[in-house]
Amino acid sequence: MKLAVFVSGSGTNLEAMLDFGIPVSLVLADRDCEALNIASTAGVATILLDRRHYSYSSGQKWLDEDRKEFTKAILGMLKRHEINLIAMAGFFSILHQEFFSHSRPHIINIHPALLPEYKGQFAVRDSLTASNKLTGSTIHIATEIVDDDRYIIAQTKVPILTNDTLETLWERIKTEERRIYPKILQSILSGDINLDAIVQRGNKSSFSDKISESL
Ligand code: GRF
């Protein structure tokens, strides 16, 4: 399998993968970001497809056709680099559904909450303002449904402390993410985790419990 990591931000999950020895063939970003520097320093090929160049139909707002064009450009890059496994690690663009029908089930994402709780970009803030005392992170197969909770591969729990701020809580979540994401990718690459089987099973419970316990 040839792995590409999709990024938009600080890239600490990407760095953890590289430190762990995960063979990353390509890093693709939708904006200029620190993750690209991490990739370049490690000698990994990078592609920057600035999403702002794809918001031409309305000037500013992203319309469906912009999303489609952007997605088409990404699919072209992946084909050129013969990528067949994608790990999203803080990638902020929502791609067109064509992307998922094309690559499913070989797209993995990490979300900073215990799905199905707290979907969306404000997951950490939402978990902090809720009365819950527990949150965490979820690694799952990504589909056209944003933060889809049907195909969970692994989850890790993180307590919410009374004096937590957005920053302290998110950093503790990310510490856990950096611990589990490389291990899960290694298991996918070695064949110990079979993504097709997870989709066929279509039920998150028994499989994810087993994996989470062994992390
Ligand atoms: C992580 O918390 C991940 O769950 C979310 O974006 C963050 C990425 O952090 N999707 P980093 O760029 O890897 O530091």
Side-chain angles (χ1 to χ4, degrees):
M1 275 182 165
K2 267 189 95 181
L3 169 70
V5 181
F6 283 18
V7 292
S8 305
S10 52
T12 64
N13 275 287
L14 168 69
E15 194 167 31
M17 292 170 198
L18 294 169
D19 289 348
F20 196 82
I22 297 296
V24 179
S25 300
L26 179 69
V27 169
L28 186 144
D30 64 352
R31 66 201 69 195
D32 196 15
C33 59
E34 182 52 29
L36 283 176
N37 297 331
I38 292 170
S40 304
T41 307
V44 177
T46 59
I47 291 175
L48 168 59
L49 275 182
D50 195 325
R51 56 171 278 162
R52 286 174 307 179
H53 299 157
Y54 293 83
S55 44
Y56 44 76
S57 33
S58 69
Q60 278 188 0
K61 211 170 153 256
W62 242 30
L63 300 179
D64 196 53
E65 56 202 281
D66 300 324
R67 198 182 299 283
K68 206 168 177 178
E69 282 305 306
F70 182 64
T71 300
K72 226 165 104 182
I74 290 186
L75 284 171
M77 293 293 179
L78 297 181
K79 198 168 176 200
R80 193 170 314 156
H81 287 262
E82 299 175 325
I83 297 297
N84 47 16
L85 177 66
I86 296 147
M88 296 192 176
F91 186 64
F92 299 149
S93 293
I94 295 172
L95 297 176
H96 192 270
Q97 61 185 37
E98 224 169 76
F99 182 73
F100 299 96
S101 45
H102 211 271
S103 319
R104 200 176 169 191
H106 302 299
I107 309 163
I108 311 302
N109 183 44
I110 189 158
H111 180 73
L114 295 172
L115 291 176
E117 286 179 354
Y118 312 120
K119 296 183 176 188
Q121 60 173 321
F122 301 113
V124 181
R125 187 200 67 188
D126 293 346
S127 60
L128 194 58
T129 49
S131 55
N132 243 346
K133 289 288 157 250
L134 190 69
T135 187
S137 183
T138 303
I139 298 172
H140 64 116
I141 295 175
T143 74
E144 62 281 1
I145 300 168
V146 177
D147 298 329
D148 195 345
D149 56 88
R150 288 176 298 169
Y151 311 121
I152 290 175
I153 301 170
Q155 291 188 306
T156 179
K157 292 172 186 162
V158 174
I160 302 174
L161 308 179
T162 41
N163 56 353
D164 257 336
T165 61
L166 181 68
E167 289 72 28
T168 58
L169 178 57
W170 204 336
E171 191 44 42
R172 275 208 320 290
I173 292 172
K174 292 219 281 186
T175 302
E176 274 298 290
E177 292 184 328
R178 294 189 284 261
R179 187 177 69 79
I180 67 166
Y181 209 1
K183 287 187 189 175
I184 291 297
L185 284 174
Q186 189 184 48
S187 298
I188 292 169
L189 290 167
S190 71
D192 286 348
I193 291 178
N194 183 322
L195 299 177
D196 292 298
I198 295 176
V199 171
Q200 271 160 27
R201 207 170 284 125
N203 184 339
K204 52 200 177 197
S205 56
S206 56
F207 185 81
S208 69
D209 288 350
K210 207 172 112 213
I211 293 289
S212 301
E213 274 164 25
S214 66
L215 287 170

